[in-house]
Amino acid sequence: MRDPREWIAASLLPGAGPVTLARLRQEGVDIPRLLRGETSLPQNIRLRPETLSALHDYQRRGDLYQRAERLWAYAREQQLHLLSQADDDYPELLRQIPDPPLLLWVRGDPGILGLPQLALVGSRKASREGVRLAYEFATALSASGVMPVSGLALGVDAAAHRACVERKAPTLAVVGTGLDRVYPQRHQALAEAIVAEGGALVSEYPPGTAPLPGNFPRRNRIISGLAVGTLVVEAALRSGSLITARQALEQGREVFAIPGSIHNPFSRGCHALIREGATLVEQVSQIIEQLAPLLGSLLVSTESTAVTVMPETDNPLLQKLPFDSIWLDQLAVELALPVAELQSGLMLLELDGYIEISGSRVRRLR
């Protein structure tokens, strides 16, 4: 990178988002030279008045220049890495999307951005089963040589990141804030663990950027853009996870979805994706087999990386439980058991992870 301040300033230009900047580069415009006033715009591109004003401000070393100077000083002080589209280390898959970020801020090891990645996304309010699946799929993917990338959100995202941290493997968290803050705040320790275990936090937003609602749908294109494919574990019909999956489809990437109960609202998004052509998966080997032609020798044999399945139990109560959600009172009547005795048996099964109790309803997980 010739002068990081120029790339920082370019990423801050008002009225010039990733699409405009990508178009400038496609037209052969050297953006640092444009900032310095050393080249002119193609006749077929018109910039907004506020963008032109900011360019002139930079050339006069005004507010835009000073802000870029401060951010570059902060990056050096905090040991943040910057990757611009002009860098050889900029992720090639991300470069191929229609609106790649001009600049990436990285805390941690920037080298892992070149590893094979699979986006693993899902509901922030995931069920216990959804969290378990996210954790186990992320564990097996990581062991197979595919690095999980997600968004550091609650639920599925956090489970995927924790799986990698606990096996001391890298994972990538793409965030919707500046790297000087963690959102949600309760994931501060998780974010630090990701970096400590060889992973990285990535953002297109400069330090000082608050967790604004519009930032997160925009960052989803980076999650899918970095990856060869996207796995959706659980998702409602209207959710950020579905946005990520559909962006992956638009980017020409593979999309996988885990099916669930028709009564689970967080399975409906996955079912919708499957109807639209996403690959239905029940185990990690199905993902690896489909990615093998793309990644070849980078993948590890799946024989030793299967998702751990809890051993079967001969518990007679479990054998009588339906996989669909059922009211506890109704279950007590059907099984002809006193409610107190039923609750005692269900508590043991829940502790062992065989069932999920939500309010006055219960469903079997396996």
Side-chain angles (χ1 to χ4, degrees), residues 41-213:
L41 289 169
Q43 293 183 349
N44 61 331
I45 293 183
R46 297 285 182 89
L47 296 181
R48 295 180 180 180
E50 62 266 34
T51 308
L52 295 171
S53 176
L55 288 171
H56 296 149
D57 176 73
Y58 182 86
Q59 292 156 21
R60 295 191 300 268
R61 298 205 170 189
D63 290 343
L64 181 61
Y65 182 94
Q66 297 301 325
R67 187 181 176 196
E69 183 81 38
R70 290 193 299 271
L71 285 169
W72 175 228
Y74 180 85
R76 296 197 307 274
E77 175 189 331
Q78 297 296 318
Q79 297 183 320
L80 303 181
H81 303 274
L82 299 180
L83 291 177
S84 79
Q85 288 183 22
D87 291 324
D88 292 339
D89 292 335
Y90 190 92
E92 189 56 39
L93 283 177
L94 186 61
R95 197 193 300 274
Q96 295 171 10
I97 71 173
D99 50 353
L102 186 70
L103 186 68
L104 292 175
W105 298 77
V106 183
R107 183 186 296 278
D109 181 3
I112 67 170
L113 273 71
L115 296 177
Q117 299 173 46
L118 187 84
L120 204 157
V121 298
S123 174
R124 288 176 170 81
K125 299 179 180 179
S127 67
R128 178 180 298 182
E129 176 73 352
V131 169
R132 182 190 67 82
L133 286 171
Y135 185 96
E136 294 182 347
F137 268 74
T139 298
L141 285 165
S142 177
S144 299
V146 179
M147 182 176 67
V149 52
S150 199
L152 200 63
L154 300 172
V156 165
D157 289 22
H161 293 311
R162 285 196 181 96
C164 297
V165 165
E166 291 181 9
R167 70 180 303 268
K168 300 186 181 302
T171 179
L172 196 62
V174 183
V175 301
T177 65
L179 294 182
D180 57 333
R181 62 184 69 195
V182 172
Y183 182 84
Q185 291 184 359
R186 71 179 74 175
H187 284 168
Q188 182 70 49
L190 177 59
E192 293 172 0
I194 288 172
V195 174
E197 297 299 344
L201 309 178
V202 176
S203 180
E204 69 175 319
Y205 300 108
T209 303
L212 302 175

Side-chain angles (χ1 to χ4, degrees), residues 30-42:
D30 186 304
I31 292 177
R33 291 190 63 203
L34 181 65
L35 270 171
R36 297 193 299 267
E38 298 174 357
T39 187
S40 58
L41 289 169

